[in-house]
Amino acid sequence: MILTINNIHTADIDALPVDETWTMGEEKPSLMHSIHAYPAKFPPFITTKALQYAKQQGIEVHTVADIFCGCGTVAYEALANRKTFFGCDLNPVATLIARTKCRKYASNEIEIYFKRIKDLFFSDAIDIDEYFCKNNRICYWFYPKQLNDLYKLRSSIISAVDAEKYLDFFLCAFSSILKSCSKWLTKSIKPQIDPRKQTKDVWKEFCRQILKMKKANESSEVVEENNAEILTQSVLDLNINEPFVDLLVTSPPYVTSYEYADIHQLSTLWLDYSPDYKHFRTGSIGSLYHSGELSINLSKLNQSGLSVVMQMYTVDKKQAKAIAQYYVNMQDVVRKLHNIVKKGGACLFVIGNTEYKSVKIDNARHLAESFLNEGFYNVTIKRRRILNKILTPYRDKNGKFSSDKTSRKIYSEEFLIFAQK
C-alpha cells in the first residue's frame, strides 16, 4: 500500500494482507547471529530482501546503515552482501556484540589467547578487586563462587589479550555467559531472581561459548571487515556533514517495550561501562525515564501521534507522557535522516504496533506520517508475520508469553515502511 498525505489517516493498514515474502528467508541464518542473546533480534533475511527491493526500485546500494544497530544483525548481513556498513547504538553492550560479529578471526590466534586466559585464570596471580566483589548490584545477582570466578575470568581476559578485536571477541563471550551464571530468571525479559536456579560453572560456560563462537567464525561470510563503522552513540547526537547512505535498514525501539538498560545491566556492570546501569536509560528512545514536558511535546506531535497520546491520557497519564516523548523523538529521527540518506536513497523501517490498557499504540502510522511530513516519497507499507509470536499475543508480568487474556497484549504481525528521499 502506498501512503500519502491524503490517505494516511484513513488507510486501514491493519487490514493489509500479510506479505509472506517478508515473513521468512530462504537461507539458514548465520551462526554469527547466535553468539550472544539479545531481545527482539532483527530477522537477518530482511536485510537481503531490503537490498533486493531497493534494486527493484532502481536504487544502487553501496552503503547500508542501521541507526538502531543493536547486536549488529543488519551490519553482518550488509557485509556478507559485500556492502559498506555504518551503524550506531546508544547501548555499549549492543555495539560490542555488533563489532564482534563484523570481524573475521584467525583460529590459531583465538587458541593462543584462550591458552593465555586459561593459564591466568587457574593461577594465583589475580587478586579479587573489592569494586566488583562488594558492588551491591553485582552481589545481588551472583552467588560468591560465580562472582569470584567471573572477576578472575574478566581480569584474565583483559590481561591476556592485547589486540583490540580479539579483546572484543573474548569480552563478548564473557558477556554472553553472565545470565546463565547468575540468579537471573531464565528466559525472563524483566530482571527477576530465580531462587531455585542452578547457576552454571563459570569456566565451563566460557569454554562452551568460545567453542560456539569459533564455529560461528569459521562459517562467517565477512570478508572486508574494515568496511564497517559502528559508533556507541545516539542517532540524534550524530554530526554528519554530508549524506552518504544509499539504504537505511533498521528497527527502532518500541514504545511501552523493554527497558534495554535494565535488560543489559549485568554486562554493563561487569564490563565497567558505567557504575550505574540506569545511566543508559537517559537519552534512550522509548524509555519511561526521561519524558519531557507533556504540553510542549503535544505541540510537536503529528496528527497520528497526537491521537494516540490523547487516548492514552484518559487511562494513564504517565504512559501518555512517555509515548509523547517517544513520538517526538521518532519525528526527530526521521528529520535527522535528511543528513544521513542520499537523495534518491531509501529507508526501510520494521516497526510493530502494540496495545496498552486497551489503547492501540499505532507506531506504524505515526512513523509513516513522519516520513510524509519530512518530504519523503513513495512511502510504502507492508505487513509481515512474526514467526516466534504466532502462538499467543499476550505476555505476563515477567515478560513471558502467556495465554491469559488479562495479560499485556502484543501483536503477532509488524509493518515494513519503505520511504525514498
Side-chain angles (χ1 to χ4, degrees), residues 1 70 94 130 133 175 177 250 265 289 315-316 339 342 368 421:
M1 176 187 288
E130 291 188 359
C133 297
S175 173
I177 69 170
T250 197
Q265 63 181 274
Y289 296 96
V315 296
D316 191 321
N339 298 333
K342 290 180 180 178
K421 177 185 168 188

Side-chain angles (χ1 to χ4, degrees), residues 82-208:
R82 307 297 182 260
K83 308 298 180 186
T84 299
F85 176 78
F86 172 83
C88 62
D89 199 291
L90 189 62
N91 180 0
V93 180
T95 54
L96 169 68
I97 305 167
R99 290 195 308 270
T100 304
K101 280 185 182 180
C102 290
R103 291 164 171 164
K104 193 76 172 179
Y105 306 88
S107 295
N108 64 317
E109 290 290 313
I110 294 174
E111 289 295 335
I112 290 169
Y113 284 123
F114 179 77
K115 185 178 185 305
R116 290 182 190 174
I117 293 166
K118 182 179 179 181
D119 289 344
L120 277 172
F121 181 81
F122 286 101
S123 74
D124 296 323
I126 298 171
D127 295 324
I128 302 302
D129 189 313
E130 291 188 359
Y131 171 78
F132 284 96
C133 297
K134 291 189 178 180
N135 181 294
N136 290 335
R137 197 63 188 171
I138 290 177
C139 291
Y140 175 80
W141 287 112
F142 295 91
Y143 293 111
K145 174 66 166 68
Q146 280 73 23
L147 193 156
N148 288 341
D149 284 352
L150 284 166
Y151 178 77
K152 286 173 62 180
L153 178 56
R154 176 189 178 277
S155 299
S156 298
I157 292 169
I158 292 171
S159 298
V161 185
D162 53 9
E164 181 185 353
K165 81 172 187 177
Y166 287 92
L167 181 59
D168 280 352
F169 179 90
F170 285 103
L171 288 178
C172 183
F174 174 82
S175 173
S176 72
I177 69 170
L178 290 173
K179 281 189 179 177
S180 65
C181 296
S182 74
K183 306 174 192 177
W184 193 294
L185 179 65
T186 303
K187 295 185 178 180
S188 174
I189 294 172
K190 294 184 178 180
Q192 182 177 354
I193 280 182
D194 179 358
R196 296 183 296 275
K197 182 179 177 182
Q198 296 295 312
T199 55
K200 304 289 186 178
D201 179 89
V202 168
W203 182 253
K204 288 181 180 178
E205 282 295 285
F206 184 67
C207 292
R208 188 178 295 115

Side-chain angles (χ1 to χ4, degrees), residues 295-309:
S295 60
I296 295 174
N297 282 336
L298 288 177
S299 68
K300 298 177 181 178
L301 288 174
N302 64 30
Q303 188 174 330
S304 298
L306 185 62
S307 174
V308 172
V309 171

Side-chain angles (χ1 to χ4, degrees), residues 404-420:
D404 182 0
K405 293 185 178 180
T406 64
S407 300
R408 180 168 61 89
K409 186 177 181 181
I410 58 172
Y411 283 69
S412 56
E413 292 88 30
E414 60 189 0
F415 298 92
L416 301 104
I417 300 174
F418 178 86
Q420 284 187 263

Side-chain angles (χ1 to χ4, degrees), residues 69 87-96 99 230-234 238 273 280:
C69 75
C88 62
D89 199 291
L90 189 62
N91 180 0
V93 180
T95 54
L96 169 68
R99 290 195 308 270
I230 298 170
L231 304 178
T232 305
Q233 193 172 357
S234 167
L238 290 178
Y273 289 141
F280 292 106

Side-chain angles (χ1 to χ4, degrees), residues 180-376:
S180 65
C181 296
S182 74
K183 306 174 192 177
W184 193 294
L185 179 65
T186 303
K187 295 185 178 180
S188 174
I189 294 172
K190 294 184 178 180
Q192 182 177 354
I193 280 182
D194 179 358
R196 296 183 296 275
K197 182 179 177 182
Q198 296 295 312
T199 55
K200 304 289 186 178
D201 179 89
V202 168
W203 182 253
K204 288 181 180 178
E205 282 295 285
F206 184 67
C207 292
R208 188 178 295 115
Q209 181 63 22
I210 292 299
L211 286 173
K212 179 179 182 179
M213 290 174 66
K214 281 180 63 179
K215 184 179 179 182
N217 173 63
E218 288 164 4
S219 64
S220 172
E221 297 179 75
V222 170
V223 177
E224 297 291 339
E225 60 182 63
N226 292 331
N227 282 350
E229 181 181 7
I230 298 170
L231 304 178
T232 305
Q233 193 172 357
S234 167
V235 58
L236 295 177
D237 295 329
L238 290 178
N239 185 14
I240 306 295
N241 295 323
E242 186 177 347
F244 65 101
V245 170
D246 303 301
L247 178 64
L248 188 142
V249 182
T250 197
S251 182
Y254 292 5
V255 67
T256 72
S257 185
Y258 315 102
E259 282 291 344
Y260 287 93
D262 296 13
I263 293 171
H264 297 126
Q265 63 181 274
L266 302 185
S267 296
T268 298
L269 293 167
W270 273 107
L271 296 176
D272 204 15
Y273 289 141
S274 174
D276 183 359
Y277 70 93
K278 296 176 184 177
H279 163 79
F280 292 106
R281 289 173 174 173
T282 304
S284 176
I285 293 173
S287 173
L288 286 168
Y289 296 96
H290 70 107
S291 303
E293 183 65 41
L294 181 60
S295 60
I296 295 174
N297 282 336
L298 288 177
S299 68
K300 298 177 181 178
L301 288 174
N302 64 30
Q303 188 174 330
S304 298
L306 185 62
S307 174
V308 172
V309 171
M310 296 311 293
Q311 289 179 65
M312 181 59 67
Y313 191 79
T314 63
V315 296
D316 191 321
K317 293 180 175 60
K318 182 179 178 181
Q319 195 64 248
K321 187 177 179 181
I323 293 172
Q325 183 65 58
Y326 170 80
Y327 282 158
V328 167
N329 285 158
M330 287 305 300
Q331 289 171 201
D332 290 340
V333 166
V334 174
R335 194 170 299 117
K336 187 81 173 183
L337 296 183
H338 274 290
N339 298 333
I340 298 172
V341 179
K342 290 180 180 178
K343 184 176 181 180
C347 306
L348 181 79
F349 274 62
V350 179
I351 192 165
N353 292 334
T354 187
E355 187 176 293
Y356 188 82
K357 294 187 177 180
S358 299
V359 176
K360 179 184 174 184
I361 315 299
D362 202 347
N363 301 319
R365 194 183 307 273
H366 170 263
L367 181 60
E369 184 176 353
S370 300
F371 275 115
L372 289 167
N373 288 345
E374 292 301 325
F376 285 80

